[in-house]
Each structure stands twice: as C-alpha cells, then as structure tokens.
Amino acid sequence: MKQIKLKIGRLFFALTSVVSLSVEAEVIISEYVEGTGNNKAIEISNMGDANVNLDGYQLIKFSNGSSNQTVYNYRGNLEAGASLVLYNSQSIQPFKVARHAISEIYIVKHNGNDQFTLNKNGIVVDSIGQYLNLGYFLKDVTLRRNTNITIGDTNFTDEWTSAEWTSVGKDIANGLGCPGINRCAVQGLESEALVSSSDAAVKTFKYSSLSN
C-alpha cells in the first residue's frame, strides 16, 4: 500500500511540474507566415513582464504531417514585450526585417501541412498546426495571435483550430516584429540585450502596434 501511495505522489509531482512549466513559459508563437514561394516566417514574443533567457527554448517543425523533426535552438535574451522573427533567407525584402530577425532557411521552409511546437527544456509550451495530419491548414496565410492570448497551446496533438489567431491575408510582412494583430511601429531601441543564433546576432527592440 505504501508503494502505491508513493507512485501516486510522484505522478502528482510530475504533473504539477509540467503544468507550472507551461504557465511560467510566457514566450509564445505570435505570428506565422506561409506565402508565395519562400515568403515564410515564424515569430515568437515575450508576453510576460520580465526579460526571458531563451537558452533551452527550441522551435521544432514536424514536416509534411509526419513525425520528422527539424529543430532550431534559440539563444540569448528576449525583453518583455519584444519579438524575435525567424525568416526564410530567400524571402522577399519586406520579410527581412532589420535587427530583430534571424535568417534561417532549414526550419522556416514550411508549406502549409507542417506543425510547429515551441519547447522549453523539452516541454511543449506552445504549438500551431495539427500533429500527424497532412491537411494544408496553414497554407497561403498570415496568422497573428489574438491579443488576449498570453499563454501557449500546450496540447499539440489536438485538432487544429484557428480560434486563437487572426488571418490578415497572404504575403503580409508588416506585423513581423511585435505581438498583436496590427502592423508594427518601432518606438526605439530599449537595450543592447543580445538575441542570437550560432551565426547571427540581433538586438532586442520595444515595439508597439498601430491600429491600421
């Protein structure tokens, strides 16, 4: 009987640990672009009130409705309210937003039937798309996360729904660089905090969105 109680206690501890990790992870996927040719981008944003160390964060792509993974490891710090964009290096110029973006061709090469998860220390803290589903739910769209969403969708195996997202058309790049559903306006450099990949470095900016 003592052994059974111990197992239950350990299970409860494991579950609460996962839940608390999910709640504390205030970095979410805030914009998704899949457009003409190589016009593709994925944006993450820090929706919390404090700077976040991105070490341990990963963007994982499950290609073509399969379990095949491509992994991108984030590095550096992301200020509260700031965003970081990964864009396809072969996209058109408007997607190559300066100083708050990283050129990345391998993971940002989706075609509409891929799923992305954002992981923190091996735990899924957000997701977009539907796992192991070949449907082209995310083709030819620019999706921006609704402003009331501040915690990610951790259930990456459930049915895809766009309820948390606003579609703003195809090949739209003017919302990359800030959270929210509107286009971005740079208010100024807040700090020299570093956000970097293995071969690129950018500074963090503070952004606001405009109403049109």
Side-chain angles (χ1 to χ4, degrees):
M1 183 65 68
K2 290 182 179 179
Q3 184 178 10
I4 294 175
K5 288 182 178 179
L6 181 60
K7 286 182 178 179
I8 292 173
R10 286 177 178 172
L11 176 61
F12 176 76
F13 175 77
L15 288 174
T16 52
S17 297
V18 170
V19 170
S20 63
L21 274 174
S22 299
V23 170
E24 292 172 0
E26 293 173 312
V27 178
I28 65 170
I29 301 170
S30 50
E31 188 153 355
Y32 167 97
V33 181
E34 199 290 320
T36 303
N38 293 303
N39 294 339
K40 305 174 193 302
I42 299 287
E43 174 193 87
I44 63 171
S45 296
N46 179 1
M47 307 304 291
D49 298 324
N51 294 357
V52 171
N53 186 330
L54 292 177
D55 291 355
Y57 277 89
Q58 295 178 313
L59 185 67
I60 300 178
K61 179 179 70 175
F62 297 90
S63 300
N64 301 319
S66 73
S67 59
N68 296 331
Q69 298 182 20
T70 304
V71 180
Y72 179 85
N73 295 301
Y74 290 99
R75 293 289 184 269
N77 300 297
L78 189 60
E79 287 191 346
S83 302
L84 175 62
V85 178
L86 297 182
Y87 67 88
N88 189 295
S89 60
Q90 298 177 4
S91 61
I92 60 176
Q93 190 59 37
F95 287 87
K96 300 176 181 180
V97 282
R99 291 180 177 166
H100 64 288
I102 295 173
S103 171
E104 225 300 326
I105 192 170
Y106 294 106
I107 196 166
V108 193
K109 201 174 182 180
H110 42 290
N111 59 7
N113 66 346
D114 312 285
Q115 185 196 41
F116 287 90
T117 65
L118 180 65
N119 290 21
K120 177 185 178 184
N121 298 325
I123 303 295
V124 175
V125 296
D126 200 7
S127 61
I128 182 171
Q130 187 167 337
Y131 185 61
L132 300 181
N133 192 307
L134 283 169
Y136 285 86
F137 306 108
L138 300 173
K139 184 174 178 60
D140 295 334
V141 292
T142 300
L143 298 176
R144 296 175 184 167
R145 206 67 171 268
N146 294 338
T147 54
N148 64 317
I149 305 299
T150 58
I151 298 296
D153 178 6
T154 60
N155 188 356
F156 70 101
T157 61
D158 62 349
E159 184 176 355
W160 161 247
T161 172
S162 60
E164 294 186 353
W165 301 83
T166 294
S167 177
V168 295
K170 181 181 177 181
D171 294 328
I172 308 298
N174 63 10
L176 292 171
C178 65
I181 63 173
N182 301 314
R183 65 186 179 94
C184 301
V186 179
Q187 288 191 319
L189 183 62
E190 287 287 310
S191 76
E192 299 281 325
L194 182 67
V195 182
S196 66
S197 68
S198 59
D199 59 353
V202 296
K203 298 172 183 177
T204 18
F205 282 73
K206 191 78 172 182
Y207 288 89
S208 69
S209 26
L210 297 178
S211 59
N212 52 28

